[in-house]
Amino acid sequence: MSTLALATATEGAMRIILVHGTGHGGWCWYRVATLLSAAGHRVDALDLAASGIDSRQLRDVPTFEDYTRPLLDALRALLPGERAVLVGHSFGGMNIALAAEMFPEKVAAAVFVTALLPDCTNPRSHVVENVRVTVQDRMDSVMDEEYIPPSSVFLGPEFLRQKLYQLSPPEDYTLSQSLVRVSSFYLPDLHSQPPFSESRYGAVRKVYVVCKHDQAIPEEYQHTMIAGCPVAEVREIADADHMAMLSTPAELAGHLAHVANKYA
């Protein structure tokens, strides 16, 4: 697919809230946020709890809802009748799914950028557990299942370089080495929760952006998730690695601007 032109914000275009994945922060959206803002879109690239420059430590964030709190608070703060386009990357798909479950009336569209896309049938942990990542594939990442609460994960530098950032600019990989933090997948907590509901999360309009060179959430698994949770649109970025906001920022920004204008 050729690069999509970055559309200028239309009158009444929705606020775009960008949600990062595991270990990252709002900082990883800096290229996309800059492009969208320059085109007149209202953009927030927030830090989830114990992420980015958020002052909390992982031990202060024992549950997945606690971890998602900054996003939930951002939706609560919207004016009456105002809605937002939520964009979740990687594990951030779980955060925007919870936000859509809790505030479906505030979500104009939920955009999953090579993100985990839960269904309305299985436990919430299902889509996380079924990413087929072997111990070898995790390379130098460290997972501590005994650290409670919650269990922790730290994405190792070689895992980041080879599996997430392999097509991204080297300076962005270098930046990640200063900013990536310990995080969690919150699997026991997610497993204990009922499936997301058809009437709330299931009713929210969804768009999936497939990144064809993702080696962390492979293209095949992206399509498997889409088959289990139908979406309104599937878009593709042919040259994106897992960090599409860094490897193909202009193309991703073009898709997000189009979605924000389309569903205004």
Side-chain angles (χ1 to χ4, degrees), residues 136-154:
Q136 182 179 3
D137 286 333
R138 293 174 185 151
M139 301 174 66
D140 56 344
S141 297
V142 178
M143 300 187 72
D144 184 358
E145 301 295 342
E146 302 302 319
Y147 183 78
I148 299 173
S151 58
S152 64
V153 59
F154 181 74

Side-chain angles (χ1 to χ4, degrees), residues 183-229:
S183 191
S184 178
F185 292 128
Y186 293 95
L187 284 172
D189 185 30
L190 289 171
H191 186 74
S192 71
Q193 302 297 321
F196 290 110
S197 66
E198 291 279 2
S199 61
R200 297 180 70 81
Y201 164 73
V204 169
R205 183 185 293 109
K206 302 174 187 66
V207 176
Y208 201 97
V209 180
V210 173
C211 297
K212 297 180 74 66
H213 287 283
D214 190 340
Q215 295 191 32
I217 302 179
E219 181 184 3
E220 180 182 4
Y221 190 64
Q222 295 175 57
H223 285 290
T224 297
M225 292 186 290
I226 293 167
C229 183

